[in-house]
Amino acid sequence: MPVMHFKVQWPDGSEANCYSPSTVVGEFFVAGQRYALGDFVERAREALHIGSERVREKYGFACSAAMDQLAQIEELAQRFATDPHAEVKVVELI
């Protein structure tokens, strides 16, 4: 199953490399695009759940790495949750 990574820039300028077990993430994000924090988290949640389910369909078990990545995204997003103008930039899809 082809994996995809996506590099994001958080509102404080820090960057993170994120993992998806499926190329489906490319249907939810565009490289260079900025997303409102809540929108970014929702898109990531949906993409990573779909990716995890694709793994389940193929191998019979969900992708724990996708769920770990989602948990990390949600945890990092909490740091910026009080800023109504917080945006996350998708730097690149790899």
Side-chain angles (χ1 to χ4, degrees):
M1 177 158 259
V3 303
M4 181 174 265
H5 292 86
F6 53 110
K7 182 186 283 188
V8 300
Q9 182 180 56
W10 291 96
D12 65 358
S14 64
E15 292 187 350
N17 290 312
C18 301
Y19 166 85
S20 171
S22 168
T23 57
V24 70
V25 75
E27 297 174 21
F28 288 84
F29 296 119
V30 175
Q33 182 72 40
R34 293 185 177 276
Y35 299 88
L37 181 65
D39 184 33
F40 171 77
V41 172
E42 282 301 314
R43 287 170 181 262
R45 185 176 292 126
E46 189 169 351
L48 291 169
H49 277 291
I50 290 170
S52 181
E53 285 304 307
R54 287 184 178 177
V55 170
R56 183 190 310 277
E57 290 169 9
K58 186 167 184 168
Y59 299 106
F61 52 86
C63 180
S64 61
M67 296 302 92
D68 290 346
Q69 180 63 74
L70 177 57
Q72 184 180 46
I73 287 171
E74 291 173 335
E75 182 179 328
L76 285 167
Q78 283 301 314
R79 294 183 3 208
F80 310 104
T82 59
D83 180 355
H85 304 293
E87 293 182 326
V88 178
K89 180 180 179 182
V90 175
V91 177
E92 64 181 325
L93 300 172
I94 309 161

